[in-house]
Amino acid sequence: MTHAYAEEYLDDAMRNLGEAFDYAVNACKIDMEEFMQYFITGKYAEQFGNGNPKIISGMSGTELTINIILEAGKNIDFPESQTIYDYSAEYWCGWILAYYQWYTARSFKNIYDYISMAEVYKLYPILHEAPEDKFVDTVNAIISGKIGTTALQTQRKRIGLTQAQLAGKANVNLRTLQQYELGAKSINKASFQTVMALCQALGCQAEDILEYETGVE
């Protein structure tokens, strides 16, 4: 499996995202869902997910939090930086989320489309002492159960297009589009031009309509 970035950066990434969530929630008193939304709508989630060393290793979790909040246009009085972080539930949520993103190479936005931070938090009591791969398997199962439909169908319904309308906008054969939505044909094997045309018509990224291996039978 191809991971999001070199494994040598993973420990720093997990620790810093854990610290970021701990500082945001427990020091800055920001709701965890709210902080996650700040994170994924700004520039830092993409850079973090791509393994930018300046983001995942070059700044502390506290510094990352401050930058994310400022980028979101929020003006708050930031508490002093923490030097020691307890292994809180919030820390674990950021820590394990960084691992899951690295392992699957999904974007943080794509992950959050399927599982909320509240759901991640609920997994803390049963999984915080388990191997990281157990979290991966659990979240993959959750996502697999939620998808039910293909990502392409989800994106089409998100903007209120019929299959015929999307086929027309993207200049894709309607029957082919229907097969992609049903999973009878794999969208992952579609031509680059087809994927890009669908993305342009839907106003989304390729990762939003491609299907991911969940490892769940």
Side-chain angles (χ1 to χ4, degrees), residues 156-178:
R156 175 178 62 79
K157 290 184 175 181
R158 175 181 60 84
I159 62 172
L161 291 179
T162 66
Q163 290 179 330
Q165 288 171 329
L166 176 57
K169 287 187 68 173
N171 195 26
V172 173
N173 179 273
L174 176 58
R175 178 58 181 157
T176 300
L177 175 66
Q178 291 170 335

Side-chain angles (χ1 to χ4, degrees), residues 4-166:
Y5 47 85
E7 190 171 359
E8 64 187 277
Y9 295 110
L10 179 59
D11 285 344
D12 283 348
M14 293 172 70
R15 181 181 64 253
N16 284 336
L17 198 61
E19 290 180 1
F21 272 88
D22 188 289
Y23 180 74
V25 176
N26 295 320
C28 299
K29 307 304 179 186
I30 296 174
D31 178 79
M32 189 154 53
E33 302 291 355
E34 184 179 358
F35 179 66
M36 182 63 173
Q37 289 166 12
Y38 294 161
F39 181 44
I40 63 173
T41 55
K43 64 184 180 183
Y44 289 99
E46 182 177 0
Q47 294 185 49
F48 195 106
N50 289 334
N52 184 335
K54 292 182 179 179
I55 305 301
I56 61 178
S57 294
M59 62 175 65
S60 69
T62 298
E63 291 170 332
L64 179 60
T65 300
I66 291 171
N67 279 283
I68 290 168
I69 293 172
L70 290 176
E71 185 189 29
K74 304 302 175 181
N75 185 19
I76 68 171
D77 292 326
F78 292 103
E80 288 190 21
S81 299
Q82 296 174 241
T83 56
I84 299 177
Y85 285 83
D86 292 330
Y87 201 61
S88 67
E90 292 79 13
Y91 179 101
W92 180 83
C93 287
W95 181 85
I96 199 65
L97 184 65
Y99 181 85
Y100 183 82
Q101 188 278 324
W102 168 81
Y103 186 90
T104 62
R106 291 175 180 260
S107 70
F108 286 104
K109 177 183 178 300
N110 181 270
I111 295 167
Y112 193 60
D113 281 342
Y114 292 108
I115 187 165
S116 68
M117 292 311 299
E119 290 173 294
V120 174
Y121 187 90
K122 287 179 181 178
L123 295 174
Y124 173 78
I126 57 174
L127 291 180
H128 74 281
E129 293 183 345
E132 290 88 345
D133 288 351
K134 181 65 175 176
F135 178 85
V136 173
D137 291 343
T138 301
V139 173
N140 281 344
I142 290 171
I143 292 175
S144 180
K146 283 184 176 181
I147 288 176
T149 56
T150 58
L152 176 60
Q153 186 181 76
T154 298
Q155 291 299 324
R156 175 178 62 79
K157 290 184 175 181
R158 175 181 60 84
I159 62 172
L161 291 179
T162 66
Q163 290 179 330
Q165 288 171 329
L166 176 57

Side-chain angles (χ1 to χ4, degrees), residues 13 17 65 75 87 105 118 121 147 164 168 182 187 191 194-195 202 204 216:
L17 198 61
T65 300
N75 185 19
Y87 201 61
Y121 187 90
I147 288 176
L182 289 170
I187 187 70
S191 69
T194 296
V195 172
L202 292 165
C204 67
V216 179

